[in-house]
Amino acid sequence: MAMNRTKECFTLLIALLLTMLCSCGRNAKIMDEAERIVEQSPDSSLALLSTVDRYSLSKSDRARYGLLFTMAQDKSGVDVDMDTLIRQSYIYYKGEPETKYYGLSQYYMGKYYFLNDSTTECEECFQNVFNNAKKRGDIDLQCLALEKLSRSIVLSNKRLSVIYAKKAVDLYSNQKNAKIANLILYMLNLANCYILDNQKDSSFFYLRQSQQYLNRISDNSMPKYVYHSLSRAFYYFNEKDSALFYSRKAIDETSDIKLMVFYSCCLEECDSLESAERLLRICSAES
């Protein structure tokens, strides 16, 4: 009788272990696939990750899961405003600086701090990202870190912000496989840093370059960013008619409410008060 019970317990234990092994293998495959597609299909990556039972994961797999889930959210347009998952990854990968996950976890923790106005903490994270990515020869991550560094200090240290933003543009533009859309975004960030540092000629040099690059891409989402940036620059330097012109071009590309509100500001500056009020009422009704 005792022997039978021992056999039963042993059989159950083996079955449980096999189930756990199968579950671990399945979770690993799901995360591998989610990581493979996260750049191009972040929504699909999120859908895959939602099928993982994260409470059954090992400590290392939980760290990877948290990082992948945060990446997929961010690339889907969802701000990193909750630190529950990414903090686990951040803490775990601190001990693995030789892996690519170290830099990524520092980057997304930095984005969380950036969104929550923790300037000192986010600067530290982005500096860690840059240093680590430089050691590993990861140009893409270096540029992302430099761009975020420039944005995090753009109000407190304008000159250093320009230096970081310019370095990102120079680094990225020298890559063989540089994507024009990314280069445009880095240039727009640099132009904004120059604007806030009152370097008008330098800001418009990169804004015009960005505008020229539009002819080389088929990404329909890029023109609105370029036109809006041009409009903001003209607005900042008190060239009202040009600000109005490019603001109109931006909303011709998309009916984004934020761009429409800015267009109403340009209308008001050009003394088109009735048009500005009418547009604001439309924005208010749609928001």
Side-chain angles (χ1 to χ4, degrees), residues 15 23 27 43-44 54 60 86 121 161 185 212 228 233 243 268 281:
S23 176
N27 288 334
D43 290 335
S44 299
R54 60 190 179 96
S60 60
I86 190 57
E121 289 85 351
S161 178
L185 292 175
Q212 291 172 11
H228 180 57
E268 186 177 353
R281 283 196 293 271

Side-chain angles (χ1 to χ4, degrees), residues 145-199:
L146 288 166
E147 185 258 349
K148 291 297 183 296
L149 275 169
S150 73
R151 290 176 60 192
S152 68
I153 62 170
V154 70
L155 297 178
S156 61
N157 192 334
K158 297 178 177 63
R159 291 296 168 93
L160 184 57
S161 178
V162 166
I163 291 171
Y164 284 142
K166 180 71 164 58
K167 192 169 184 177
V169 169
D170 292 342
L171 258 179
Y172 195 80
S173 60
N174 287 324
Q175 277 203 108
K176 290 182 179 179
N177 299 319
K179 296 178 182 177
I180 299 298
N182 290 342
L183 182 56
I184 288 175
L185 292 175
Y186 286 133
M187 285 183 171
L188 294 181
N189 178 61
L190 175 56
N192 184 62
C193 293
Y194 276 128
I195 290 168
L196 295 177
D197 197 36
N198 288 307
Q199 297 190 52

Side-chain angles (χ1 to χ4, degrees), residues 257 260-261 264 273-287:
I257 288 181
M260 291 171 69
V261 169
S264 72
L273 298 180
E274 288 186 9
S275 297
E277 289 176 9
R278 185 165 57 251
L279 185 58
L280 284 174
R281 283 196 293 271
I282 293 171
C283 293
S284 179
E286 292 182 358
S287 62

